[in-house]
Amino acid sequence: MKFIDTHCHLTDERLGPVEDVLARAGEAGVVALICATASIPDSAAAAEIAGRYDQVWCTAGIHPHDAKDAGEDYLERLEELAGNPKNVAIGEIGLDYHYDFSPRDVQRRVFAEQLALACRLEKPVAVHTREAFEDTLAVINDVGAGGEKILFHSFTGGPDEAGRVLDIGAYVSYSGIATFKNADAIRAGAVLVPDDRIIIETDAPYLSPEPVRKMQINEPSNVVHVAECLAAVRRTTPETLAEQTTANAIRFFALR
Ligand code: NI
């Protein structure tokens, strides 16, 4: 089976040496990894890692937590980073009203500006949304971003929210959260996602999936557990789920 971990934070030092993480991922069948990013320095570090390893790709973006520290020239910096040959998306960008680490109006402005940049550059977008679902859809609508270029990463919505995301044509990515015992609503939503719009990720080093949830540091090799859980829920085999999600990730991110 071949998997793609479409969202992992390889720049996070808690993961330990990147070579070792990639070796374990390779043994588990992870053939490609997309290093997600949260700030300009983080995006530059991700591009550096992606430059060193064929199977690693990267994004560039300002996380909603970091929106208040984006800096005046951040859009120019992002555009530069997006021009890196290994860059495949703008992200993770969005809104997080759970932590409110940045003021909400600043989060909305920085999200909208990055979405508009992604549209102009014709880049896919990885969206983070937490306790901000309505405003996230409103910003996407206001900017006029096409849903087919948008991936809702580590999706935690239930059937209603999944339906609304699918209605705008977006892709949906599931992480270890979908495997948690109390995540019945998320799994009920995951059943509704068409075969050609579902994607998987780890969000490592966060969110270790069941049955390895006790691992304090999650890592890309664990994407196999996300795939197994979703396959069971969707009444298909892990092999089929792996094929579908890998093909979808290659298409969505235009991996070569
Ligand atoms: Ni993330």
Side-chain angles (χ1 to χ4, degrees):
M1 279 186 280
K2 290 181 186 168
F3 306 96
I4 297 180
D5 185 357
T6 62
H7 189 116
C8 50
H9 296 271
L10 296 176
T11 56
D12 194 307
E13 287 173 1
R14 285 170 290 180
L15 279 170
V18 174
E19 291 99 283
D20 298 352
V21 173
L22 295 179
R24 290 190 291 271
E27 280 164 31
V30 179
V31 293
L33 306 89
I34 298 174
C35 184
T37 54
S39 67
I40 296 293
D42 191 37
S43 302
E48 194 272 320
I49 294 173
R52 272 190 283 142
Y53 301 98
D54 283 350
Q55 74 273 43
V56 179
W57 306 83
C58 60
T59 70
I62 312 286
H63 193 284
H65 291 344
D66 297 75
K68 64 180 185 308
D69 304 315
E72 277 187 10
D73 64 343
Y74 86 94
L75 286 169
E76 289 91 79
R77 302 288 310 279
L78 273 186
E79 185 166 352
E80 248 169 63
L81 287 157
N84 184 292
K86 295 301 286 292
N87 177 283
V88 293
I90 298 297
E92 55 184 297
I93 65 174
L95 303 175
D96 193 314
Y97 294 174
H98 178 75
Y99 287 107
D100 280 329
F101 286 157
S102 291
R104 292 182 181 183
D105 59 329
V106 176
Q107 291 190 42
R108 285 192 292 267
R109 175 176 58 79
V110 170
F111 178 33
E113 288 173 349
Q114 293 182 94
L115 255 187
L117 175 69
C119 290
R120 181 161 67 75
L121 300 177
E122 299 183 352
K123 285 270 182 182
V125 177
V127 168
H128 170 108
T129 180
R130 187 160 183 196
E131 294 175 27
F133 188 67
E134 295 301 331
D135 279 10
T136 300
L137 289 183
V139 170
I140 291 169
N141 187 52
D142 289 350
V143 171
E148 71 289 343
K149 288 266 192 196
I150 293 177
L151 175 65
F152 280 81
H153 113 86
S154 193
F155 193 67
T156 55
D160 289 351
E161 289 168 322
R164 293 183 61 197
V165 160
L166 293 169
D167 279 347
I168 65 164
Y171 285 67
V172 187
S173 178
Y174 290 96
S175 69
I177 296 181
T179 71
F180 295 172
K181 291 198 170 57
N182 63 357
D184 286 334
I186 299 174
R187 287 186 287 271
V191 174
L192 304 177
V193 182
D195 290 345
D196 61 357
R197 279 203 269 162
I198 189 165
I199 282 178
I200 53 175
E201 63 175 278
T202 58
D203 207 9
Y206 311 101
L207 307 174
S208 293
E210 293 290 356
V212 294
R213 192 173 173 185
K214 289 205 177 73
M215 274 180 74
Q216 286 197 333
I217 306 296
N218 189 18
E219 60 168 58
S221 59
N222 288 332
V223 78
V224 54
H225 299 300
V226 178
E228 278 167 0
C229 169
L230 288 174
V233 167
R234 290 164 63 85
R235 299 185 187 277
T236 185
T237 61
E239 286 78 7
T240 301
L241 195 284
E243 267 173 38
Q244 291 165 346
T245 53
T246 296
N248 293 342
I250 290 171
R251 187 174 63 253
F252 179 79
F253 289 106
L255 303 182
R256 300 178 299 278

